Amino acid sequence: MYDIKSLKAEEFINNEEILDTLAYAEENKHNRELIEQILNKAAPKKTGRGVECAGLSHREASVLLACDIPELNEKMYSLASEIKEAFYGNRIVMFAPLYLSNYCVNQCVYCPYHMQNKEIPRKKLTQEEVRNEVIALQDMGHKRLAIESGEDPVNNPIDYILECINTIYSIKHKNGAIRRVNVNIAATTVENYRKLHDAGIGTYILFQETYHKESYEKLHPAGPKHNYAYHTEAMDRAMEGGIDDVGLGVLFGLDMYKYEFAGLLMHAEHLEAVHGVGPHTISVPRVKRASDIDPNVFDNSIDDDIFAKIIACIRIAVPYTGMIISTRENEECRDRVLGLGISQISGGSRTSVGGYAGYTSEERPHDTEQFDVSDQRSLDDVVKWLIDTGYIPSFCTACYREGRTGDRFMSLCKVGQIQNCCHPNALMTLQEYLEDYASPETKAVGEALIAREINKVTNPKVFERAVKNLKDIKNGKRDFRF
């Protein structure tokens, strides 16, 4: 039985409810009146507090995803862009993954780190190697990392992860510093989540891969990850352990995308209903080619058009969440979906263990890659591309460091007030990047962007302070934030 507030996986992600939802969506995919009503409900509304959005239920959003009326689909894309602009503006937050270890005891059939893969060399970073990787990332200009690790209680215990986090935060190289460490590791216990919280992590990220239980168990035939309920209930344990920023995601291409879409939104609704705050981020990775893995064996892969529509519908349904797209996707695809709801992207990424230190921006090791990187541009190239297309590359971590996480972040975001902080913060962190790391070409276009965008700060006191901070950054000072 479906119960949004249940803490049992098969009740808050209920198979019958998803099947009923998909049937309802199929029946109504040509229902113009209903679709118009859903779009009107989701549209941003101005209030005395700012801008608010109602969001959509998983059932309403599934109707939009099923709709194949061209002009209504165009309305969806326009609405998704409007919502993204209302709450995140033209800012795009930058990050990079840092792979700590590819030792893993699971047998996930879509991941090259599965324990039966004999083609891939196994590697685990020492603390000195972590230090070298972090310095290399700092020298690129990164301030925010997402650490990744296979699941192996012997080689990658929680104490190893905690030690790596401590090492990362301790490194100050030139003007570089990692100010936020997000963590993408296997489902674990409340006690271990509490340890991660106490270590000062940002967001805890865990991809469900697939919400279809039967498929999930086939895709994870052995290892701790085989336990569907334990994995699916991980976010509840994380929040019980004090982590109030969590990130959801499915691996599109493993199962039927409409089923995954409904399950993903049900999970977001569950977190909101039980904990009072939905997911801080939602990621939309697609299965990619890798060592010993061929995505062509999965017959539910999705094309770029469907992928773009999924992103637009998630943005409409969960208007306040951050949306992440990685370098799994190529430049053309990433360019297309930025305006449909994406608010965070990676740049200059390596998916190998030890993929940064000792390599130029053009070089990259392939022997321990988790998946092929489609967008292989350097961080500077990505930053310039964003600026050229009218976006502000943001290296801001202010909300996390000011305690604006969980419900405190959402209470501001849900009325559009977060932009009073985020817009000037984005410009100040971009100015830092331009001074310390940018190529001359990127610095030139970045300076012009900042000169234009600073005039959008309408609060006179904030404007005056931001202008002074930008000048101080040019004179060598760092780390200002609202």
Side-chain angles (χ1 to χ4, degrees):
M1 175 182 246
Y2 177 51
D3 181 357
I4 191 174
K5 291 190 174 183
S6 172
L7 296 180
K8 294 182 178 180
E10 292 184 68
E11 293 180 357
F12 68 81
I13 305 292
N14 181 261
N15 181 63
E16 289 73 21
E17 172 62 20
I18 295 180
L19 295 179
D20 287 347
T21 293
L22 299 186
Y24 176 81
E26 186 65 22
E27 291 168 7
N28 287 282
K29 66 180 183 181
H30 297 140
N31 187 335
R32 287 177 175 268
E33 182 180 2
L34 175 62
I35 294 168
E36 292 278 13
Q37 288 175 355
I38 293 172
L39 292 173
N40 289 335
K41 172 188 174 182
K45 309 290 192 303
K46 289 187 177 180
T47 72
R49 300 177 62 200
V51 180
E52 297 184 10
C53 272
L56 297 176
S57 69
H58 60 276
R59 188 161 291 206
E60 292 167 329
S62 292
V63 172
L64 296 188
L65 187 62
C67 171
D68 56 6
I69 302 171
E71 60 268 30
L72 291 182
N73 284 338
E74 288 305 313
K75 280 191 174 184
M76 286 178 220
Y77 297 139
S78 295
L79 178 57
S81 180
E82 181 184 356
I83 291 171
K84 195 270 179 180
E85 177 67 26
F87 296 103
Y88 287 91
N90 59 340
R91 292 172 287 108
I92 301 293
V93 171
M94 308 301 301
F95 76 96
L98 173 58
Y99 282 76
L100 302 177
S101 171
N102 63 0
Y103 284 95
C104 193
V105 298
N106 289 308
Q107 292 188 18
C108 313
V109 303
Y110 52 83
C111 176
Y113 291 177
H114 67 84
M115 65 179 301
Q116 292 179 316
N117 184 2
K118 304 304 181 185
E119 296 180 8
I120 194 167
R122 302 293 170 170
K123 185 174 182 180
K124 170 186 173 180
L125 297 182
T126 65
Q127 295 310 302
E128 183 61 28
E129 288 171 328
V130 170
R131 176 181 174 81
N132 293 336
E133 290 288 284
V134 170
I135 289 174
L137 284 157
Q138 289 176 351
D139 282 344
M140 291 166 62
H142 279 294
K143 308 294 185 191
R144 177 188 303 237
L145 301 183
I147 60 172
E148 320 264 353
S149 175
E151 182 172 12
D152 187 323
V154 174
N155 288 291
N156 314 325
I158 191 66
D159 288 344
Y160 170 71
I161 302 299
L162 296 171
E163 186 180 11
C164 289
I165 293 169
N166 183 64
T167 297
I168 292 167
Y169 278 139
S170 73
I171 299 166
K172 306 295 184 286
H173 174 69
K174 298 180 181 178
N175 284 331
I178 301 303
R179 299 170 180 166
R180 178 174 177 129
V181 177
N182 297 334
V183 175
N184 185 353
I185 63 170
T188 187
T189 64
V190 173
E191 179 185 3
N192 285 343
Y193 286 125
R194 191 166 288 117
K195 290 178 180 178
L196 289 170
H197 171 264
D198 292 344
I201 73 164
T203 305
Y204 173 67
I205 302 165
L206 183 67
F207 297 161
Q208 180 64 26
E209 322 302 1
T210 175
Y211 284 99
H212 188 270
K213 183 180 180 183
E214 183 179 350
S215 298
Y216 180 96
E217 291 174 345
K218 289 179 180 177
L219 291 164
H220 309 95
K225 198 168 179 177
H226 177 74
N227 189 328
Y228 173 85
Y230 188 76
H231 186 86
T232 311
E233 295 160 7
M235 294 309 186
D236 294 291
R237 294 194 302 278
M239 288 192 162
E240 184 181 346
I243 299 174
D244 50 8
D245 281 356
V246 298
L248 302 179
V250 293
L251 186 52
F252 285 104
L254 295 181
D255 213 280
M256 301 305 291
Y257 71 91
K258 292 179 181 178
Y259 191 103
E260 305 300 1
F261 176 84
L264 181 64
L265 296 187
M266 289 168 72
H267 203 165
E269 292 165 355
H270 164 75
L271 295 177
E272 182 82 42
V274 174
H275 304 284
V277 57
H280 186 71
T281 59
I282 292 178
S283 300
V284 286
R286 286 191 285 186
V287 64
K288 298 289 291 184
R289 188 178 306 278
S291 168
D292 196 40
I293 304 296
D294 183 352
N296 295 324
V297 306
F298 300 106
D299 58 5
N300 296 309
S301 57
I302 55 174
D303 62 29
D304 288 352
D305 290 338
I306 293 172
F307 187 56
K309 191 173 183 182
I310 288 170
I311 290 169
C313 288
I314 292 174
R315 172 52 67 208
I316 294 169
V318 196
Y320 313 114
T321 192
M323 289 191 66
I324 301 174
I325 192 167
S326 75
T327 50
R328 285 175 181 265
E329 304 300 337
N330 61 34
E331 177 181 349
E332 182 181 1
C333 176
R334 300 217 293 176
D335 184 60
R336 178 180 181 182
V337 300
L338 281 178
L340 298 179
I342 295 299
S343 59
Q344 296 187 28
I345 68 171
S346 51
S349 300
R350 310 292 170 82
T351 67
S352 300
V353 180
Y356 297 103
Y359 297 96
T360 67
S361 59
E362 292 78 26
E363 298 172 328
R364 59 184 59 237
H366 297 286
D367 58 341
T368 61
E369 282 186 317
Q370 189 187 31
F371 57 83
D372 284 349
V373 173
S374 296
D375 187 345
Q376 298 191 3
R377 292 173 295 174
S378 69
L379 176 61
D380 192 73
D381 288 338
V382 173
V383 168
K384 185 175 185 299
W385 161 66
L386 289 172
I387 294 170
D388 288 340
T389 50
Y391 293 100
I392 304 171
S394 174
F395 297 86
C396 178
T397 59
C399 284
Y400 156 69
R401 297 164 77 206
E402 291 292 325
R404 294 190 294 261
T405 59
D407 57 356
R408 296 171 294 286
F409 172 84
M410 287 298 174
S411 65
L412 290 172
C413 186
K414 287 183 178 181
V415 292
Q417 293 301 319
I418 201 71
Q419 290 200 55
N420 291 331
C421 302
C422 292
H423 191 77
N425 282 341
L427 296 178
M428 291 187 297
T429 58
L430 175 59
Q431 187 71 63
E432 287 185 344
Y433 176 84
L434 298 179
E435 295 299 320
D436 294 337
Y437 308 106
S439 65
E441 296 78 13
T442 300
K443 186 172 184 179
V445 295
E447 294 275 12
L449 176 77
I450 291 172
R452 294 192 305 270
E453 291 290 335
I454 192 63
N455 293 312
K456 294 181 181 179
V457 179
T458 56
N459 184 305
K461 290 184 178 180
V462 174
F463 176 83
E464 182 180 356
R465 184 177 156 196
V467 169
K468 181 181 184 303
N469 290 347
L470 287 168
K471 188 176 296 185
D472 286 342
I473 291 169
K474 290 184 178 182
N475 290 327
K477 295 183 180 179
R478 296 291 178 270
D479 201 13
F480 297 100
R481 60 183 184 270
F482 288 96

